Amino acid sequence: MPDTSLTNFAALSPKQKLVWSREFWSATRDQLFVKRFLGTGENAMIQRITELTPTEKGDQCVMQLVADLVGDGVVGDNEREGNEEAMQAFDQTITIDLLSNGVKSKGKMAEQKSVIKFREQGRDKLAFWAAQRVDQLAILTMSGIGYGFKNNGALRIGSPFPSLAFAADVTAPTSKRALMWDGTSLQTSVTSSITSAYIPKYTMIVDAIAYAKEHYIKPLMNGGKAYYVLLVQPGTLAALKKDPDYQRAVVALATKGGIDSPWFNGATITIDGAVIHEHNLVYNTKGAASGSKWGAAGAVNGTRTLLCGAQALGMADVRPAEWSEKMFQYDSQLGINVDKMFGFLKPKFFSINENSFEDFSILTIDHYLQ
């Protein structure tokens, strides 16, 4: 039986609520860090899937990965028919779930403001909340870090995030996509061996780009040029700026008439095919308890830099956010609730070049963070 003591807020018609829903999601999208990487095509770093695909298990969000052709074709007048090469396609199903939050006014006397003002405040605060949570989940997914942790390595106590339907799809970086910078070269990642000497340098960028190309990590293409997006902590960028080799590389770009235009808006710099973006949500261990950080004693602060190519992440975004209002306490308190249905998946495929299942287009680089 419905609770008849709580009546629907009648001031907004269904069409008006739809407008507020769109305004809320528009405000959220404007504040999203990952918004600049979203796209609906295969050349997007984060491919946004907006339609459901009919499958044997019902309608689902499906992301398509198509591997490059590896055969040598046919020469001369030899038989063409029957010798076609089959394209290797990998369907990636993105699980979706519903994330909600709400706000409620204190009452007529406490507010002393119009209902419209409360709606605007509620929209802005909820939009910021939603943008932050979507950004956090996206970066955690790409980093292969479970939702039981915050982006600074602290435990996410009392959070419902670990119970999200797509939380179980978060996987650690695969063997050929998980590296560590030891201060001089890239190595297989062993976070327990990281020390304060594992400081990022310009050569880390050069070596990472070379590794990505050698291991066929699909780049982003723009104007015939290949790029990778490098997501770093502000402290990582600060360390790079202190490196003389990095400084010389930036100066060399400037003397050539300016640096290349960033592949995405908001990039710090585009250098050697790496489009560098800094953000404090890039995973690190500064918030982790002593003993749970990195290094032999679990006391070293580290960070997981992400090098991303095309289709590094899939995002299901199949419907607009929903806006709902309700009056409480004999119509003296207004409550607002928003729902957003979405999901994330870091895609994998069987790499013929690696002869193993690997993350499709993302490389993690663990190193020290001051």
Side-chain angles (χ1 to χ4, degrees), residues 28-271:
T28 300
R29 289 279 298 278
D30 287 343
Q31 298 181 64
L32 277 174
F33 169 66
V34 298
K35 172 189 175 183
R36 65 196 70 181
F37 310 120
L38 288 171
T40 56
E42 295 181 4
N43 195 43
M45 176 183 136
I46 302 178
Q47 186 173 358
R48 179 169 168 251
I49 312 298
T50 59
E51 296 180 356
L52 293 172
T53 301
T55 69
E56 292 180 356
K57 297 182 179 180
D59 289 345
Q60 297 180 332
C61 265
V62 177
M63 180 180 183
Q64 295 280 353
L65 301 180
V66 181
D68 293 332
L69 298 176
V70 296
D72 293 330
V74 177
V75 298
D77 291 329
N78 290 319
E79 188 69 28
R80 292 164 174 77
E81 294 187 19
N83 288 317
E84 299 87 354
E85 182 175 351
M87 292 190 295
Q88 298 294 318
F90 300 88
D91 291 344
Q92 308 281 302
T93 300
I94 305 177
T95 304
I96 56 178
D97 206 341
L98 191 66
L99 186 62
S100 304
N101 203 358
V103 293
K104 185 166 67 173
S105 69
K106 294 182 179 179
K108 293 180 180 178
M109 291 298 295
E111 292 299 329
Q112 294 187 16
K113 296 178 180 178
S114 70
V115 171
I116 294 297
K117 193 70 174 178
F118 176 74
R119 284 199 196 102
E120 293 173 350
Q121 287 292 319
R123 178 199 62 193
D124 293 344
K125 297 300 185 291
L126 288 168
F128 179 76
W129 168 84
Q132 278 283 304
R133 297 315 182 272
V134 171
D135 281 340
Q136 290 174 22
L137 291 170
I139 293 175
L140 286 173
T141 305
M142 289 190 289
S143 303
I145 302 295
Y147 297 161
F149 294 91
K150 295 182 180 180
N151 293 60
N152 67 354
L155 292 175
R156 200 181 288 270
I157 299 173
S159 171
F161 281 7
S163 63
L164 282 165
F166 51 88
D169 297 329
V170 177
T171 57
T174 54
S175 61
K176 301 296 179 60
R177 301 292 187 261
L179 298 178
M180 173 182 67
W181 175 255
D182 67 1
T184 58
S185 62
L186 291 172
Q187 306 290 336
T188 300
S189 181
V190 182
T191 57
S192 61
S193 69
I194 291 178
T195 71
S196 59
Y198 290 19
I199 299 173
K201 298 178 181 178
Y202 169 65
T203 49
M204 181 186 80
I205 299 175
V206 176
D207 290 352
I209 295 295
Y211 182 95
K213 292 177 179 179
E214 290 169 358
H215 290 259
Y216 299 92
I217 296 178
K218 184 180 178 180
L220 296 151
M221 301 301 297
N222 183 34
K225 295 182 179 180
Y227 294 91
Y228 295 96
V229 171
L230 198 66
L231 301 182
V232 302
Q233 263 282 321
T236 300
L237 185 61
L240 288 170
K241 289 179 177 179
K242 296 174 185 176
D243 178 30
D245 289 337
Y246 179 87
Q247 295 170 2
R248 284 190 288 269
V250 173
V251 171
L253 284 173
T255 57
K256 290 182 180 179
I259 62 175
D260 291 339
S261 298
W263 171 255
F264 301 109
N265 292 331
T268 301
I269 190 172
T270 302
I271 185 169

